[in-house]
Amino acid sequence: MVFIILFAVAAVVAIYFAARFYLLRSFIRKADAELKDINGHITENYVLRLPAPDRELGAFMNTVNNTLERIRRERISYAAREREFRSQIEAISHDLRTPLTVIIGYLKVMERDGPDGQTMEVVLRKARSMQKLIAAFYEYSRIIADDYTLEPAPLDAGRLLRETFADNCVMLEGKGLKVDTSFCDYPVKVLADSAALERVIVNLIQNAARYARTFFLLTFDRVGENAVAVFENDAEGLTENTLEHIFDRFYMADGSRSMGGTGLGLTIAKSLAEQMGGSLTADIASAPVNIAEESGKAIRFTLTLPALKA
């Protein structure tokens, strides 16, 4: 009797494990077929499904599905980056091809008719334009590759801002803008790389010189624990979409490529500000009625750096 009971128990156990083995083989075959199908449609929202309730297999299935979802998101992100990269390459090619085409055209004229002062002036101007473009691309490539070494040291941010503005304000005056500045009359020390901070300031001034219509404002002061510089100017076509992309690499407002530039100035400025422990933000403000010729919107850049204790 005992033998019969043991045999029956053994038979039940054997049947159970045989069923489990069959179920596992069936699951593996089904999962293999589904994975092969998913590999052919990796960006589609396909998941593996459990053929029968099972805690261990269910946990394994969830892990596989989570992995598939991460792969899917990365593939979609990669495709988007590839599209953006192609678009940026097209923008770079356009920016370099335009002055190069002019240079080649004038060189052909010089080859045919001989050189003259006006032709040489145009060729040199376009060659310098290409030089500036290539320099900006090189500078940006160094920054994103972490090959741009900063040497932070204590410095008076207000003094550097005043001196840099004085050296570059001719760009604003050349456009006939109403320019107003306000600097605090006491030193505000920050820990920053002087060359990098100067580059940030110059890029913001150049951006205003390119897009401002009637005015430019610059203020600097210590606000709490920070040194804060605010650059403000009016511009055409300011929208929330402008703010969303203003710091994107190679981004330029509609129709502005003819003004020169690379679409990298603000990207570089923001990156350098952050590498120095600060920030560069943009928002839309109402143009001040005491300086603007007409009421409207202005874009405001706020450069913030941690101030050192006095």
Side-chain angles (χ1 to χ4, degrees), residues 8-49:
V9 171
V12 170
V13 172
I15 292 172
Y16 170 77
F17 280 106
R20 288 281 296 174
F21 177 73
Y22 175 79
L23 179 63
L24 180 60
R25 287 192 61 186
S26 175
F27 164 74
I28 291 175
R29 287 196 300 269
K30 187 174 185 300
D32 180 65
E34 289 186 356
L35 280 173
K36 288 178 179 177
D37 186 53
I38 289 173
N39 282 335
H41 308 82
I42 194 65
T43 58
E44 302 294 332
N45 194 27
Y46 293 153
V47 296
L48 290 177
R49 303 186 184 279

Coordinates of all heavy atoms in Angstrom, one line a residue, residues 8-49:
A8 N 2.3 6.8 -6.6 CA 1.3 7.8 -7.1 C 1.9 9.2 -6.9 O 1.7 10.1 -7.8 CB 0.0 7.6 -6.3
V9 N 2.5 9.4 -5.7 CA 3.1 10.8 -5.5 C 4.2 11.1 -6.5 O 4.3 12.2 -7.0 CB 3.7 10.8 -4.0 CG1 4.5 12.1 -3.8 CG2 2.6 10.7 -3.0
A10 N 5.1 10.0 -6.7 CA 6.1 10.2 -7.7 C 5.6 10.5 -9.1 O 6.1 11.3 -9.9 CB 7.0 9.0 -7.8
A11 N 4.5 9.8 -9.4 CA 3.8 10.1 -10.7 C 3.3 11.5 -10.8 O 3.4 12.2 -11.9 CB 2.7 9.0 -11.0
V12 N 2.7 11.9 -9.7 CA 2.1 13.3 -9.7 C 3.2 14.3 -9.9 O 3.1 15.3 -10.7 CB 1.3 13.5 -8.5 CG1 1.0 15.0 -8.3 CG2 0.1 12.7 -8.4
V13 N 4.3 14.1 -9.1 CA 5.5 15.0 -9.2 C 6.1 15.0 -10.6 O 6.4 16.1 -11.2 CB 6.5 14.6 -8.2 CG1 7.8 15.5 -8.4 CG2 6.0 14.9 -6.8
A14 N 6.2 13.8 -11.2 CA 6.7 13.7 -12.5 C 5.8 14.4 -13.5 O 6.3 15.1 -14.4 CB 6.9 12.2 -12.9
I15 N 4.5 14.2 -13.4 CA 3.6 14.9 -14.3 C 3.7 16.4 -14.2 O 3.7 17.2 -15.1 CB 2.2 14.4 -14.0 CG1 2.0 12.9 -14.4 CG2 1.1 15.3 -14.8 CD1 0.7 12.3 -14.0
Y16 N 3.8 16.9 -12.9 CA 3.9 18.3 -12.6 C 5.2 18.9 -13.3 O 5.1 19.9 -14.0 CB 4.0 18.6 -11.1 CG 4.3 20.0 -10.8 CD1 3.4 21.0 -10.9 CD2 5.6 20.4 -10.3 CE1 3.7 22.3 -10.5 CE2 5.9 21.7 -10.0 CZ 5.0 22.6 -10.1 OH 5.3 23.9 -9.8
F17 N 6.3 18.2 -13.1 CA 7.5 18.8 -13.7 C 7.6 18.6 -15.2 O 8.1 19.4 -15.9 CB 8.8 18.1 -13.1 CG 9.1 18.6 -11.7 CD1 8.9 17.9 -10.6 CD2 9.7 19.9 -11.6 CE1 9.2 18.5 -9.3 CE2 10.1 20.4 -10.4 CZ 9.8 19.7 -9.2
A18 N 6.9 17.6 -15.7 CA 6.8 17.4 -17.1 C 6.0 18.5 -17.7 O 6.3 19.1 -18.8 CB 6.2 16.0 -17.5
A19 N 4.9 18.9 -17.0 CA 4.0 19.9 -17.5 C 4.8 21.3 -17.4 O 4.6 22.1 -18.3 CB 2.7 20.0 -16.6
R20 N 5.5 21.5 -16.3 CA 6.3 22.7 -16.2 C 7.3 22.8 -17.3 O 7.6 23.8 -17.9 CB 7.0 22.7 -14.8 CG 6.1 23.0 -13.6 CD 5.7 24.4 -13.5 NE 6.9 25.2 -13.2 CZ 6.8 26.6 -13.2 NH1 5.7 27.2 -13.4 NH2 7.9 27.3 -12.9
F21 N 8.0 21.6 -17.6 CA 9.0 21.6 -18.6 C 8.4 21.9 -20.0 O 8.9 22.7 -20.8 CB 9.7 20.2 -18.7 CG 10.7 20.1 -19.8 CD1 11.9 20.7 -19.7 CD2 10.4 19.3 -20.9 CE1 12.8 20.6 -20.7 CE2 11.3 19.2 -21.9 CZ 12.5 19.8 -21.8
Y22 N 7.2 21.3 -20.2 CA 6.5 21.5 -21.5 C 6.1 23.0 -21.6 O 6.2 23.6 -22.7 CB 5.3 20.6 -21.6 CG 4.4 20.9 -22.8 CD1 4.8 20.4 -24.1 CD2 3.3 21.7 -22.7 CE1 4.1 20.7 -25.2 CE2 2.5 22.0 -23.9 CZ 2.9 21.5 -25.1 OH 2.2 21.8 -26.2
L23 N 5.6 23.6 -20.5 CA 5.1 25.0 -20.5 C 6.3 25.9 -20.8 O 6.2 26.9 -21.5 CB 4.5 25.3 -19.1 CG 4.0 26.8 -19.0 CD1 2.9 27.1 -20.0 CD2 3.5 27.0 -17.6
L24 N 7.5 25.6 -20.1 CA 8.7 26.4 -20.3 C 9.1 26.3 -21.7 O 9.5 27.4 -22.3 CB 9.8 25.9 -19.4 CG 11.1 26.7 -19.4 CD1 10.9 28.2 -19.1 CD2 12.1 26.1 -18.5
R25 N 9.2 25.1 -22.3 CA 9.6 25.0 -23.7 C 8.6 25.7 -24.6 O 9.1 26.4 -25.6 CB 9.6 23.5 -24.1 CG 10.8 22.7 -23.5 CD 11.0 21.4 -24.2 NE 11.2 21.6 -25.6 CZ 11.3 20.5 -26.5 NH1 11.1 19.3 -26.0 NH2 11.6 20.7 -27.7
S26 N 7.3 25.6 -24.3 CA 6.3 26.3 -25.1 C 6.5 27.8 -25.0 O 6.4 28.6 -26.0 CB 4.9 25.9 -24.7 OG 4.0 26.7 -25.4
F27 N 6.8 28.3 -23.8 CA 7.0 29.7 -23.6 C 8.2 30.2 -24.4 O 8.2 31.3 -25.0 CB 7.2 30.0 -22.1 CG 7.7 31.4 -21.8 CD1 7.0 32.5 -22.0 CD2 9.1 31.5 -21.4 CE1 7.6 33.8 -21.7 CE2 9.6 32.7 -21.2 CZ 8.9 33.9 -21.3
I28 N 9.3 29.4 -24.3 CA 10.6 29.8 -25.0 C 10.4 29.9 -26.5 O 10.8 30.8 -27.1 CB 11.7 28.9 -24.6 CG1 12.1 29.0 -23.1 CG2 12.9 29.1 -25.5 CD1 13.1 28.0 -22.6
R29 N 9.7 28.9 -27.0 CA 9.4 28.9 -28.5 C 8.6 30.1 -28.9 O 8.8 30.8 -29.8 CB 8.7 27.6 -28.9 CG 9.6 26.4 -28.9 CD 9.0 25.3 -29.7 NE 7.7 24.9 -29.2 CZ 7.6 23.9 -28.3 NH1 8.7 23.2 -27.8 NH2 6.4 23.6 -27.8
K30 N 7.5 30.4 -28.1 CA 6.6 31.5 -28.4 C 7.4 32.9 -28.2 O 7.3 33.8 -29.0 CB 5.4 31.5 -27.4 CG 4.3 32.5 -27.8 CD 3.1 32.3 -26.9 CE 2.0 33.2 -27.3 NZ 2.3 34.6 -27.2
A31 N 8.2 32.9 -27.1 CA 8.9 34.2 -26.9 C 10.0 34.4 -28.0 O 10.2 35.5 -28.4 CB 9.6 34.1 -25.5
D32 N 10.6 33.3 -28.4 CA 11.6 33.4 -29.5 C 10.9 34.0 -30.8 O 11.5 34.8 -31.5 CB 12.2 32.1 -29.8 CG 13.2 32.1 -30.9 OD1 14.3 32.8 -30.7 OD2 13.0 31.5 -31.9
A33 N 9.7 33.4 -31.1 CA 9.0 33.9 -32.3 C 8.6 35.3 -32.2 O 8.7 36.1 -33.1 CB 7.8 33.0 -32.5
E34 N 8.1 35.7 -31.0 CA 7.7 37.1 -30.8 C 8.9 38.1 -30.8 O 8.8 39.2 -31.4 CB 7.0 37.2 -29.4 CG 5.6 36.6 -29.4 CD 4.8 36.9 -28.1 OE1 5.4 37.5 -27.2 OE2 3.7 36.4 -28.0
L35 N 10.0 37.6 -30.2 CA 11.2 38.5 -30.3 C 11.7 38.7 -31.7 O 12.1 39.8 -32.0 CB 12.3 37.9 -29.4 CG 12.2 38.1 -27.9 CD1 13.3 37.4 -27.1 CD2 12.3 39.6 -27.5
K36 N 11.7 37.7 -32.5 CA 12.1 37.8 -33.9 C 11.2 38.8 -34.6 O 11.6 39.6 -35.4 CB 12.0 36.5 -34.6 CG 13.2 35.5 -34.1 CD 13.1 34.2 -34.8 CE 14.2 33.2 -34.4 NZ 14.1 31.9 -35.0
D37 N 9.9 38.7 -34.3 CA 8.9 39.7 -34.9 C 9.2 41.1 -34.4 O 9.1 42.1 -35.2 CB 7.5 39.2 -34.6 CG 6.5 40.1 -35.4 OD1 6.6 40.2 -36.6 OD2 5.6 40.6 -34.7
I38 N 9.4 41.2 -33.1 CA 9.7 42.5 -32.5 C 11.0 43.1 -33.1 O 11.0 44.4 -33.4 CB 9.8 42.4 -31.0 CG1 8.4 42.1 -30.4 CG2 10.3 43.7 -30.4 CD1 8.4 41.8 -28.9
N39 N 12.0 42.3 -33.3 CA 13.2 42.8 -33.9 C 13.0 43.5 -35.3 O 13.7 44.4 -35.7 CB 14.3 41.7 -34.1 CG 14.9 41.3 -32.7 OD1 15.0 42.2 -31.8 ND2 15.4 40.1 -32.6
G40 N 12.0 43.0 -36.0 CA 11.7 43.6 -37.3 C 10.9 44.8 -37.2 O 10.7 45.5 -38.2
H41 N 10.3 45.1 -36.0 CA 9.5 46.3 -35.8 C 9.9 46.9 -34.5 O 9.0 47.1 -33.6 CB 8.0 46.0 -35.8 CG 7.6 45.2 -37.1 ND1 7.7 43.8 -37.2 CD2 7.0 45.6 -38.2 CE1 7.3 43.4 -38.3 NE2 6.8 44.5 -39.0
I42 N 11.1 47.2 -34.3 CA 11.6 47.6 -32.9 C 11.0 48.9 -32.4 O 10.9 49.1 -31.2 CB 13.2 47.7 -33.0 CG1 13.7 47.7 -31.5 CG2 13.6 48.9 -33.8 CD1 13.5 46.5 -30.7
T43 N 10.6 49.8 -33.3 CA 10.1 51.0 -32.9 C 8.6 50.9 -32.6 O 8.0 51.9 -32.1 CB 10.3 52.1 -34.0 OG1 9.7 51.7 -35.2 CG2 11.8 52.4 -34.1
E44 N 8.0 49.8 -32.9 CA 6.5 49.6 -32.6 C 6.4 49.3 -31.1 O 7.3 48.7 -30.5 CB 5.9 48.6 -33.5 CG 6.0 48.8 -35.0 CD 5.2 50.0 -35.4 OE1 4.2 50.3 -34.8 OE2 5.6 50.7 -36.4
N45 N 5.2 49.5 -30.6 CA 5.0 49.3 -29.2 C 4.5 47.8 -28.9 O 3.5 47.6 -28.4 CB 3.9 50.2 -28.7 CG 3.8 50.3 -27.2 OD1 4.8 50.0 -26.5 ND2 2.7 50.6 -26.7
Y46 N 5.4 46.9 -29.3 CA 5.1 45.5 -29.1 C 5.8 45.0 -27.8 O 6.8 45.4 -27.4 CB 5.7 44.6 -30.3 CG 5.0 44.8 -31.6 CD1 5.7 44.6 -32.8 CD2 3.7 45.3 -31.6 CE1 5.0 44.8 -34.0 CE2 3.0 45.5 -32.9 CZ 3.7 45.2 -34.0 OH 3.1 45.5 -35.2
V47 N 5.1 44.1 -27.1 CA 5.6 43.5 -25.9 C 5.4 42.0 -25.9 O 4.6 41.4 -26.6 CB 4.9 44.1 -24.7 CG1 5.2 45.6 -24.5 CG2 3.4 43.8 -24.7
L48 N 6.2 41.3 -25.1 CA 6.1 39.8 -24.9 C 4.9 39.6 -24.0 O 4.7 40.3 -23.0 CB 7.3 39.2 -24.4 CG 8.6 39.1 -25.3 CD1 9.7 38.6 -24.5 CD2 8.3 38.3 -26.5
R49 N 4.1 38.5 -24.3 CA 3.0 38.2 -23.5 C 3.1 36.8 -22.9 O 3.7 35.9 -23.5 CB 1.7 38.3 -24.3 CG 1.5 39.6 -25.0 CD 0.1 39.7 -25.7 NE 0.0 41.0 -26.4 CZ -0.4 42.1 -25.8 NH1 -0.6 42.1 -24.5 NH2 -0.5 43.3 -26.5

